[in-house]
PDB file of all heavy atoms in Angstrom:
ATOM      1  N   ARG H  76      -1.481 -22.565  10.399  1.00  0.00           N
ATOM      2  CA  ARG H  76      -0.820 -22.493  11.723  1.00  0.00           C
ATOM      3  C   ARG H  76      -0.889 -21.003  12.311  1.00  0.00           C
ATOM      4  O   ARG H  76      -1.179 -20.775  13.413  1.00  0.00           O
ATOM      5  CB  ARG H  76       0.639 -22.809  11.662  1.00  0.00           C
ATOM      6  CG  ARG H  76       0.937 -24.435  11.391  1.00  0.00           C
ATOM      7  CD  ARG H  76       2.373 -24.708  11.813  1.00  0.00           C
ATOM      8  NE  ARG H  76       3.298 -23.923  10.964  1.00  0.00           N
ATOM      9  CZ  ARG H  76       3.730 -24.315   9.762  1.00  0.00           C
ATOM     10  NH1 ARG H  76       3.235 -25.530   9.227  1.00  0.00           N
ATOM     11  NH2 ARG H  76       4.600 -23.654   9.051  1.00  0.00           N
ATOM     12  N   GLU H  77      -0.663 -20.085  11.381  1.00  0.00           N
ATOM     13  CA  GLU H  77      -0.488 -18.692  11.794  1.00  0.00           C
ATOM     14  C   GLU H  77      -1.827 -17.955  11.847  1.00  0.00           C
ATOM     15  O   GLU H  77      -2.047 -17.021  12.528  1.00  0.00           O
ATOM     16  CB  GLU H  77       0.508 -18.011  10.889  1.00  0.00           C
ATOM     17  CG  GLU H  77       1.897 -18.526  10.962  1.00  0.00           C
ATOM     18  CD  GLU H  77       2.832 -17.982  10.004  1.00  0.00           C
ATOM     19  OE1 GLU H  77       2.391 -17.085   9.180  1.00  0.00           O
ATOM     20  OE2 GLU H  77       4.024 -18.375   9.941  1.00  0.00           O
ATOM     21  N   SER H  78      -2.733 -18.319  10.910  1.00  0.00           N
ATOM     22  CA  SER H  78      -3.991 -17.607  10.841  1.00  0.00           C
ATOM     23  C   SER H  78      -5.178 -18.598  10.708  1.00  0.00           C
ATOM     24  O   SER H  78      -5.891 -18.660   9.626  1.00  0.00           O
ATOM     25  CB  SER H  78      -4.064 -16.680   9.538  1.00  0.00           C
ATOM     26  OG  SER H  78      -2.970 -15.775   9.648  1.00  0.00           O
ATOM     27  N   PRO H  79      -5.476 -19.474  11.687  1.00  0.00           N
ATOM     28  CA  PRO H  79      -6.463 -20.436  11.530  1.00  0.00           C
ATOM     29  C   PRO H  79      -7.825 -19.920  11.442  1.00  0.00           C
ATOM     30  O   PRO H  79      -8.756 -20.642  10.973  1.00  0.00           O
ATOM     31  CB  PRO H  79      -6.280 -21.181  12.875  1.00  0.00           C
ATOM     32  CG  PRO H  79      -5.718 -20.239  13.814  1.00  0.00           C
ATOM     33  CD  PRO H  79      -4.819 -19.321  13.014  1.00  0.00           C
ATOM     34  N   GLN H  80      -8.085 -18.635  11.712  1.00  0.00           N
ATOM     35  CA  GLN H  80      -9.357 -18.008  11.616  1.00  0.00           C
ATOM     36  C   GLN H  80      -9.841 -17.774  10.137  1.00  0.00           C
ATOM     37  O   GLN H  80     -11.020 -17.460   9.905  1.00  0.00           O
ATOM     38  CB  GLN H  80      -9.369 -16.683  12.399  1.00  0.00           C
ATOM     39  CG  GLN H  80      -8.800 -15.505  11.718  1.00  0.00           C
ATOM     40  CD  GLN H  80      -7.239 -15.571  11.882  1.00  0.00           C
ATOM     41  OE1 GLN H  80      -6.714 -16.485  12.553  1.00  0.00           O
ATOM     42  NE2 GLN H  80      -6.599 -14.466  11.517  1.00  0.00           N
ATOM     43  N   LEU H  81      -8.865 -17.877   9.250  1.00  0.00           N
ATOM     44  CA  LEU H  81      -9.181 -17.550   7.836  1.00  0.00           C
ATOM     45  C   LEU H  81     -10.223 -18.508   7.221  1.00  0.00           C
ATOM     46  O   LEU H  81     -10.139 -19.692   7.560  1.00  0.00           O
ATOM     47  CB  LEU H  81      -8.012 -17.459   6.982  1.00  0.00           C
ATOM     48  CG  LEU H  81      -6.969 -16.427   7.248  1.00  0.00           C
ATOM     49  CD1 LEU H  81      -5.778 -16.450   6.312  1.00  0.00           C
ATOM     50  CD2 LEU H  81      -7.593 -14.941   7.020  1.00  0.00           C
ATOM     51  N   LEU H  82     -11.065 -18.018   6.427  1.00  0.00           N
ATOM     52  CA  LEU H  82     -12.019 -18.927   5.677  1.00  0.00           C
ATOM     53  C   LEU H  82     -11.128 -19.639   4.624  1.00  0.00           C
ATOM     54  O   LEU H  82     -10.167 -19.202   4.215  1.00  0.00           O
ATOM     55  CB  LEU H  82     -13.118 -18.149   5.022  1.00  0.00           C
ATOM     56  CG  LEU H  82     -13.939 -17.283   6.008  1.00  0.00           C
ATOM     57  CD1 LEU H  82     -15.023 -16.472   5.224  1.00  0.00           C
ATOM     58  CD2 LEU H  82     -14.777 -18.157   6.896  1.00  0.00           C
ATOM     59  N   ASP H  83     -11.809 -20.841   4.126  1.00  0.00           N
ATOM     60  CA  ASP H  83     -11.127 -21.482   3.074  1.00  0.00           C
ATOM     61  C   ASP H  83     -10.878 -20.661   1.820  1.00  0.00           C
ATOM     62  O   ASP H  83      -9.907 -20.763   1.157  1.00  0.00           O
ATOM     63  CB  ASP H  83     -11.954 -22.719   2.687  1.00  0.00           C
ATOM     64  CG  ASP H  83     -11.910 -23.928   3.776  1.00  0.00           C
ATOM     65  OD1 ASP H  83     -10.987 -23.771   4.642  1.00  0.00           O
ATOM     66  OD2 ASP H  83     -12.686 -24.845   3.678  1.00  0.00           O
ATOM     67  N   TYR H  84     -11.927 -19.800   1.523  1.00  0.00           N
ATOM     68  CA  TYR H  84     -11.813 -18.857   0.394  1.00  0.00           C
ATOM     69  C   TYR H  84     -10.613 -18.023   0.585  1.00  0.00           C
ATOM     70  O   TYR H  84      -9.827 -17.895  -0.358  1.00  0.00           O
ATOM     71  CB  TYR H  84     -13.015 -17.992   0.370  1.00  0.00           C
ATOM     72  CG  TYR H  84     -13.138 -16.890  -0.775  1.00  0.00           C
ATOM     73  CD1 TYR H  84     -13.776 -17.295  -1.904  1.00  0.00           C
ATOM     74  CD2 TYR H  84     -12.532 -15.778  -0.597  1.00  0.00           C
ATOM     75  CE1 TYR H  84     -13.818 -16.410  -2.965  1.00  0.00           C
ATOM     76  CE2 TYR H  84     -12.475 -14.862  -1.644  1.00  0.00           C
ATOM     77  CZ  TYR H  84     -13.177 -15.169  -2.806  1.00  0.00           C
ATOM     78  OH  TYR H  84     -13.212 -14.262  -3.801  1.00  0.00           O
ATOM     79  N   ASP H  85     -10.361 -17.415   1.703  1.00  0.00           N
ATOM     80  CA  ASP H  85      -9.157 -16.645   2.011  1.00  0.00           C
ATOM     81  C   ASP H  85      -7.886 -17.418   1.883  1.00  0.00           C
ATOM     82  O   ASP H  85      -6.890 -16.970   1.331  1.00  0.00           O
ATOM     83  CB  ASP H  85      -9.358 -15.875   3.277  1.00  0.00           C
ATOM     84  CG  ASP H  85     -10.486 -14.917   3.377  1.00  0.00           C
ATOM     85  OD1 ASP H  85     -10.748 -14.294   2.315  1.00  0.00           O
ATOM     86  OD2 ASP H  85     -11.019 -14.824   4.472  1.00  0.00           O
ATOM     87  N   GLN H  86      -7.943 -18.642   2.478  1.00  0.00           N
ATOM     88  CA  GLN H  86      -6.672 -19.429   2.518  1.00  0.00           C
ATOM     89  C   GLN H  86      -6.230 -19.771   1.134  1.00  0.00           C
ATOM     90  O   GLN H  86      -4.991 -19.794   0.897  1.00  0.00           O
ATOM     91  CB  GLN H  86      -6.899 -20.650   3.312  1.00  0.00           C
ATOM     92  CG  GLN H  86      -6.915 -20.338   4.824  1.00  0.00           C
ATOM     93  CD  GLN H  86      -6.733 -21.641   5.635  1.00  0.00           C
ATOM     94  OE1 GLN H  86      -7.151 -22.666   5.267  1.00  0.00           O
ATOM     95  NE2 GLN H  86      -6.183 -21.415   6.804  1.00  0.00           N
ATOM     96  N   ALA H  87      -7.208 -20.071   0.200  1.00  0.00           N
ATOM     97  CA  ALA H  87      -6.774 -20.387  -1.177  1.00  0.00           C
ATOM     98  C   ALA H  87      -6.126 -19.233  -1.882  1.00  0.00           C
ATOM     99  O   ALA H  87      -5.103 -19.440  -2.515  1.00  0.00           O
ATOM    100  CB  ALA H  87      -8.040 -20.841  -1.915  1.00  0.00           C
ATOM    101  N   LEU H  88      -6.726 -18.007  -1.718  1.00  0.00           N
ATOM    102  CA  LEU H  88      -6.169 -16.826  -2.288  1.00  0.00           C
ATOM    103  C   LEU H  88      -4.800 -16.522  -1.580  1.00  0.00           C
ATOM    104  O   LEU H  88      -3.733 -16.373  -2.272  1.00  0.00           O
ATOM    105  CB  LEU H  88      -7.061 -15.678  -2.094  1.00  0.00           C
ATOM    106  CG  LEU H  88      -8.382 -15.631  -2.902  1.00  0.00           C
ATOM    107  CD1 LEU H  88      -9.291 -14.484  -2.425  1.00  0.00           C
ATOM    108  CD2 LEU H  88      -8.081 -15.476  -4.414  1.00  0.00           C
ATOM    109  N   TYR H  89      -4.771 -16.522  -0.308  1.00  0.00           N
ATOM    110  CA  TYR H  89      -3.646 -16.087   0.459  1.00  0.00           C
ATOM    111  C   TYR H  89      -2.405 -17.077   0.177  1.00  0.00           C
ATOM    112  O   TYR H  89      -1.203 -16.656   0.166  1.00  0.00           O
ATOM    113  CB  TYR H  89      -3.868 -15.966   1.923  1.00  0.00           C
ATOM    114  CG  TYR H  89      -4.771 -14.760   2.330  1.00  0.00           C
ATOM    115  CD1 TYR H  89      -5.292 -13.905   1.279  1.00  0.00           C
ATOM    116  CD2 TYR H  89      -5.013 -14.494   3.574  1.00  0.00           C
ATOM    117  CE1 TYR H  89      -6.214 -12.906   1.581  1.00  0.00           C
ATOM    118  CE2 TYR H  89      -5.902 -13.431   3.994  1.00  0.00           C
ATOM    119  CZ  TYR H  89      -6.422 -12.642   2.916  1.00  0.00           C
ATOM    120  OH  TYR H  89      -7.255 -11.594   3.312  1.00  0.00           O
ATOM    121  N   SER H  90      -2.720 -18.320  -0.032  1.00  0.00           N
ATOM    122  CA  SER H  90      -1.715 -19.388  -0.221  1.00  0.00           C
ATOM    123  C   SER H  90      -1.000 -19.108  -1.554  1.00  0.00           C
ATOM    124  O   SER H  90       0.256 -19.204  -1.594  1.00  0.00           O
ATOM    125  CB  SER H  90      -2.297 -20.791  -0.143  1.00  0.00           C
ATOM    126  OG  SER H  90      -2.829 -21.032   1.126  1.00  0.00           O
ATOM    127  N   THR H  91      -1.772 -18.803  -2.606  1.00  0.00           N
ATOM    128  CA  THR H  91      -1.180 -18.474  -3.965  1.00  0.00           C
ATOM    129  C   THR H  91      -0.303 -17.323  -3.950  1.00  0.00           C
ATOM    130  O   THR H  91       0.842 -17.268  -4.399  1.00  0.00           O
ATOM    131  CB  THR H  91      -2.149 -18.384  -5.013  1.00  0.00           C
ATOM    132  OG1 THR H  91      -3.096 -17.367  -4.648  1.00  0.00           O
ATOM    133  CG2 THR H  91      -2.980 -19.572  -5.259  1.00  0.00           C
ATOM    134  N   TRP H  92      -0.850 -16.275  -3.142  1.00  0.00           N
ATOM    135  CA  TRP H  92      -0.014 -15.042  -3.080  1.00  0.00           C
ATOM    136  C   TRP H  92       1.288 -15.223  -2.218  1.00  0.00           C
ATOM    137  O   TRP H  92       2.238 -14.668  -2.432  1.00  0.00           O
ATOM    138  CB  TRP H  92      -0.918 -13.916  -2.481  1.00  0.00           C
ATOM    139  CG  TRP H  92      -1.948 -13.559  -3.348  1.00  0.00           C
ATOM    140  CD1 TRP H  92      -2.073 -13.548  -4.738  1.00  0.00           C
ATOM    141  CD2 TRP H  92      -3.281 -13.021  -2.949  1.00  0.00           C
ATOM    142  NE1 TRP H  92      -3.258 -13.147  -5.187  1.00  0.00           N
ATOM    143  CE2 TRP H  92      -4.041 -12.792  -4.170  1.00  0.00           C
ATOM    144  CE3 TRP H  92      -3.888 -12.714  -1.733  1.00  0.00           C
ATOM    145  CZ2 TRP H  92      -5.385 -12.324  -4.095  1.00  0.00           C
ATOM    146  CZ3 TRP H  92      -5.157 -12.386  -1.709  1.00  0.00           C
ATOM    147  CH2 TRP H  92      -5.930 -12.108  -2.968  1.00  0.00           C
ATOM    148  N   GLY H  93       1.115 -16.245  -1.232  1.00  0.00           N
ATOM    149  CA  GLY H  93       2.327 -16.504  -0.406  1.00  0.00           C
ATOM    150  C   GLY H  93       3.453 -17.168  -1.307  1.00  0.00           C
ATOM    151  O   GLY H  93       4.581 -16.885  -1.047  1.00  0.00           O
ATOM    152  N   VAL H  94       3.019 -18.086  -2.146  1.00  0.00           N
ATOM    153  CA  VAL H  94       3.948 -18.676  -3.037  1.00  0.00           C
ATOM    154  C   VAL H  94       4.688 -17.651  -3.939  1.00  0.00           C
ATOM    155  O   VAL H  94       5.987 -17.614  -4.088  1.00  0.00           O
ATOM    156  CB  VAL H  94       3.325 -19.736  -3.949  1.00  0.00           C
ATOM    157  CG1 VAL H  94       4.302 -20.249  -5.003  1.00  0.00           C
ATOM    158  CG2 VAL H  94       2.706 -20.900  -3.146  1.00  0.00           C
TER     159      VAL H  94
END
Side-chain angles (χ1 to χ4, degrees):
R76 289 195 304 269
E77 298 174 358
S78 305
Q80 75 281 4
L81 291 177
L82 301 174
D83 285 350
Y84 179 95
D85 293 326
Q86 284 194 331
L88 288 171
Y89 291 4
S90 296
T91 57
W92 295 330
V94 172

